[in-house]
Amino acid sequence: MSEFSDSDEAVFAQWRQKIQMANRNNIFCHCRDCGEEWVDSSPNVSCPACQSQKLEYIACWQFPDG
């Protein structure tokens, strides 16, 4: 038996959807090779400065405002 009710599962599904929406067009990218940093809409990109694929990604919603 699941420890979560259908209502809980619905709340978790809404939460996951909101996180996905927050990530859309708001992914902070950092190149591990040249240090370039930018915000993009996809984690599946190459560095615009050196074309490296060695990148770190952080969802921008994780940064505090102000």
Side-chain angles (χ1 to χ4, degrees):
M1 181 173 188
S2 174
E3 64 183 270
F4 298 110
S5 70
D6 288 341
S7 176
D8 291 336
E9 291 297 332
V11 169
F12 290 135
Q14 287 176 343
W15 179 79
R16 285 188 293 270
Q17 184 179 17
K18 287 179 182 180
I19 295 298
Q20 288 174 342
M21 288 173 58
N23 284 342
R24 209 170 291 139
N25 300 315
N26 293 300
I27 300 173
F28 177 80
C29 304
H30 170 83
C31 179
R32 292 180 177 160
D33 284 338
C34 74
E36 183 76 13
E37 296 177 336
W38 69 99
V39 175
D40 211 303
S41 61
S42 172
N44 300 319
V45 297
S46 299
C47 174
C50 72
Q51 305 308 310
S52 174
Q53 296 288 316
K54 296 178 185 174
L55 307 175
E56 289 182 275
Y57 308 102
I58 303 171
C60 289
W61 63 265
Q62 293 177 350
F63 293 98
D65 289 339

